[in-house]
Amino acid sequence: MSTKQTTKVSNSTLFQEVAEMVASGNRVEIVGKGSSMFPLIRGGKDKIVLRKVDNFSIERGNILLVKLENGNYVLHRVKKHDTRTLILRGDGNLRNVETCKAEDVIAEAVEVIRGKKRIAKGSCSWKMYSRLSRQPHWVRRVVLALWRRVSPL
């Protein structure tokens, strides 16, 4: 009988390792934490597949793993960007946004694994969640409230 071992590490240690693995061309799976990307990512349940950033990664609607100026790491969707600055917001966040520089981007999320189901970037499901993130505040508020009642975190 095999036993599953888990080890707890700090976010900085984990994401430094993720950054190295992704930079060398590997795809990396991490488990989502928190509710800021709900409903696409359910914290503690869904896995996220990350890959190396390319010339098309920093685009509105893409989901990026970044290190913020305060040292925190977030996996949020690009709301706006210019040549140097990105504004990110989690799908489950109604108003809060983060700002970072393009060089702070570590990886791009390209797939969410929910049990046996895979939601790939570009799929109909992925596009539906992306469309929700672009809706006005009041629409997102109502939809998220209903979604949380039907499908609790």
Side-chain angles (χ1 to χ4, degrees), residues 27-33 37-51 61-64 75-77 91 108-123 125-127 129-130:
R27 287 186 176 222
V28 178
E29 288 181 16
I30 61 171
V31 176
K33 183 178 174 185
M37 282 301 293
F38 182 82
L40 175 59
I41 300 168
R42 300 171 307 163
K45 297 179 181 178
D46 297 338
K47 294 179 186 173
I48 302 108
V49 178
L50 303 170
R51 72 171 175 96
N62 285 348
I63 300 173
L64 303 176
L75 181 79
H76 283 170
R77 197 178 295 275
D91 290 359
E108 178 183 9
V110 292
E111 190 172 33
V112 173
I113 303 169
R114 180 172 294 159
K116 293 182 180 181
K117 182 180 179 184
R118 292 180 172 262
I119 304 170
K121 180 182 175 187
S123 68
S125 294
W126 189 281
K127 288 176 184 178
Y129 292 115
S130 182

Side-chain angles (χ1 to χ4, degrees), residues 1-2 5 9-10 18 25 31 39 50-51 54 58 60 70-71 73 82 87 103 110 114 131-133 139 147:
M1 178 167 53
S2 67
Q5 291 185 336
V9 296
S10 69
V18 167
V31 176
L50 303 170
R51 72 171 175 96
D54 63 23
I58 300 177
R60 182 174 180 241
N70 65 8
Y73 294 84
D82 60 28
I87 298 174
E103 58 265 21
V110 292
R114 180 172 294 159
R131 276 189 215 106
L132 172 62
S133 74
V139 172
W147 210 313

